[in-house]
Amino acid sequence: FDADGICSTAEMHLLLSKLGIQHSLTVPKRLSEGYGLSAAIIDRLSGADVVLTVDNGITANEAVAAAKRLGMQVIIMDHHNALGEVPDADIIVDPEEFPDGWTFFHYCGAGLVYKLAEYMFPDDKDWLDVMSCFAAIATVGDVVDVTGDNHNIIQRGLDNINKRRCIPGLKALLDLISENNNIDPFTVNDIAMKVVPMINAPGRLEDNGGEQTLRCMFTGEKTAKTVAQKIYDINETRKQLVQTAMDTLSPKGEHVAFLYDPSLKEGICGIIAGRYSSELHKPAYVMTKAEDGSIKGSARCEDGYNVFQALSKCTDCLVRFGGHDCAAGFSLDEEDIDKLFDSLEAVTEKPQNEEVEFYDIDVEPADILPLFCNQN
């Protein structure tokens, strides 16, 4: 239900439709089902021949086992890290876990689907242009390494975004953001700060929010602007909730920024953690009480730390966790909150090079003259 999940699902829909394969799309419900493939979703898909996951699945051992018991074939396309043994799926595409044969490993989920589309239809430029818009948005939004082929994906996608070579629903969202924020053309920063948060917003605040955003992408031209405005309004509500939390709450911790507040909306914990990490220059863990009574949280960090690795050292405090180096999600029992805080403080070390200068952008020598000319 985040930008990568929505964009990779949209791409897979376009790919399966092009192949003429009958299919249906399922987006997890954040509050009632949680992240990724689950036994509850497998129950909903009873009768399906094949289950294909995008941007999730590498940690869904129990759900995959349930699907196999029902006679389903399972294909996993993911970029996250496994937790111990990988699921017993029929096919797994995850270059982070199985790098053999890959020349680049650090795609997001939508990046992987884009590479599959590029492999299958290398000569269909117009169609790949449409796909690249989703891949670029997700690559920026999922904070994967902007190196190697990811740089190529972003360049192509950004060019097509600015030329509006995209499906009507995405075009309506982009036009609305452009009009309300006086953006023309879109930059990578605009994608990160304006486009991605709006795609994320419904999935952060509403149980079926991810499905709402996906439906917006594929709405017709006549209703696209109206539907896009609803998504935009949800994002405005999300911004108000985040700002209120940042103004009234403060994390604790010396080595980490640690916050538990049961009044927080589950979907904004990741945003708040990201802001704490950026402002305090240390890993941040933000938690709230979910509707089922469990404690759910999000972790974020900057370069030099690894929240996935830190959480993997605290499994005695956790019910579930998953993610990657700089972003992770987790759940635990309420009585273990203090124990988790103590454990994270104990396992978190400062980067070896403490002489760190924080900055916002790399400027190469070849960039100086164009920057100077643009200012004059």
Side-chain angles (χ1 to χ4, degrees):
F1 36 69
D2 66 357
D4 192 14
I6 296 299
C7 289
S8 54
T9 304
E11 288 177 287
M12 187 55 73
H13 173 63
L14 293 171
L15 177 58
L16 294 175
S17 297
K18 188 175 183 67
L19 291 168
I21 296 174
Q22 183 180 359
H23 63 281
S24 61
L25 306 179
T26 298
V27 181
K29 294 179 171 60
R30 176 186 281 272
L31 302 179
S32 60
E33 294 177 340
Y35 170 81
L37 189 65
S38 63
I41 291 178
I42 293 300
D43 287 342
R44 278 206 277 139
L45 300 180
S46 179
D49 296 316
V50 179
V51 175
L52 192 162
T53 73
V54 288
D55 190 37
N56 75 96
I58 198 64
T59 64
N61 299 56
E62 293 182 7
V64 171
K68 299 295 288 182
R69 285 195 295 271
L70 294 174
M72 301 175 182
Q73 290 184 306
V74 181
I75 302 170
I76 292 171
M77 293 190 69
D78 202 353
H79 69 110
H80 295 95
N81 300 111
L83 301 176
E85 292 187 8
V86 299
D88 185 26
D90 296 273
I91 298 173
I92 297 178
V93 179
D94 188 335
E96 297 286 354
E97 287 292 327
F98 301 100
D100 289 352
W102 293 86
T103 56
F104 183 76
F105 316 103
H106 306 304
Y107 298 103
C108 66
L112 284 177
V113 181
Y114 176 75
K115 296 307 292 185
L116 177 62
E118 193 176 54
Y119 174 78
M120 297 181 75
F121 298 98
D123 299 324
D124 197 335
K125 180 182 180 301
D126 291 343
W127 182 74
L128 287 172
D129 283 346
V130 172
M131 298 282 276
S132 73
C133 296
F134 288 117
I137 291 169
T139 299
V140 172
D142 221 46
V143 203
V144 291
D145 291 346
V146 185
T147 57
D149 202 24
N150 280 341
H151 190 261
N152 300 328
I153 290 173
I154 291 173
Q155 281 191 317
R156 180 172 186 173
L158 191 60
D159 179 58
N160 290 312
I161 284 169
N162 283 317
K163 293 174 180 175
R164 297 298 192 274
R165 292 172 176 161
C166 51
I167 59 177
L170 180 56
K171 179 181 182 298
L173 285 172
L174 294 170
D175 287 345
L176 190 59
I177 295 170
S178 176
E179 293 165 8
N180 289 354
N181 297 276
N182 194 29
I183 297 173
D184 185 27
F186 281 90
T187 66
V188 170
N189 189 61
D190 296 324
I191 299 298
M193 303 305 294
K194 301 297 182 182
V195 179
V196 169
M198 195 159 96
I199 293 174
N200 280 342
R204 292 188 181 282
L205 300 188
E206 301 182 14
D207 196 26
N208 69 336
E211 182 179 320
Q212 289 183 52
T213 307
L214 190 62
R215 288 184 181 279
C216 175
M217 295 297 179
F218 291 101
T219 191
E221 291 186 22
K222 291 184 179 180
T223 58
K225 189 171 183 178
T226 300
V227 176
Q229 184 63 56
K230 292 180 180 178
I231 302 297
Y232 191 93
D233 292 342
I234 292 173
N235 188 46
E236 291 300 302
T237 300
R238 188 274 309 166
K239 289 195 288 187
Q240 293 172 7
L241 290 172
V242 171
Q243 192 57 55
T244 298
M246 294 299 295
D247 289 342
T248 58
L249 302 175
S250 298
K252 66 178 181 178
E254 179 182 357
H255 302 302
V256 301
F258 190 91
L259 175 70
Y260 167 62
D261 189 297
S263 68
L264 286 175
K265 284 277 190 179
E266 183 182 326
I268 66 172
C269 288
I271 301 175
I272 296 170
R275 293 198 181 181
Y276 284 150
S277 179
S278 179
E279 292 176 5
L280 301 174
H281 303 307
K282 54 187 176 183
Y285 302 83
V286 177
M287 292 142 285
T288 189
K289 180 174 283 191
E291 289 189 349
D292 62 5
S294 67
I295 306 304
K296 292 186 178 180
S298 292
R300 299 289 186 272
C301 67
E302 297 180 314
D303 287 343
Y305 294 98
N306 187 320
V307 289
F308 182 86
Q309 189 177 76
L311 288 168
S312 69
K313 297 176 181 178
C314 305
T315 53
D316 59 330
C317 309
L318 301 173
V319 174
R320 186 182 180 191
F321 78 100
H324 39 81
D325 294 359
C326 61
F330 58 95
S331 62
L332 66 156
D333 296 324
E334 190 167 9
E335 59 265 27
D336 288 328
I337 292 175
D338 290 338
K339 183 179 178 182
L340 177 61
F341 171 66
D342 293 337
S343 298
L344 288 171
E345 281 280 281
V347 302
T348 301
E349 299 177 357
K350 292 183 179 180
Q352 291 183 348
N353 180 12
E354 297 186 19
E355 299 287 329
V356 177
E357 293 185 8
F358 293 94
Y359 57 94
D360 295 318
I361 190 171
D362 286 318
V363 180
E364 301 295 334
D367 297 326
I368 300 298
L369 183 58
L371 286 171
F372 177 77
C373 292
N374 288 338
Q375 294 297 320
N376 291 275

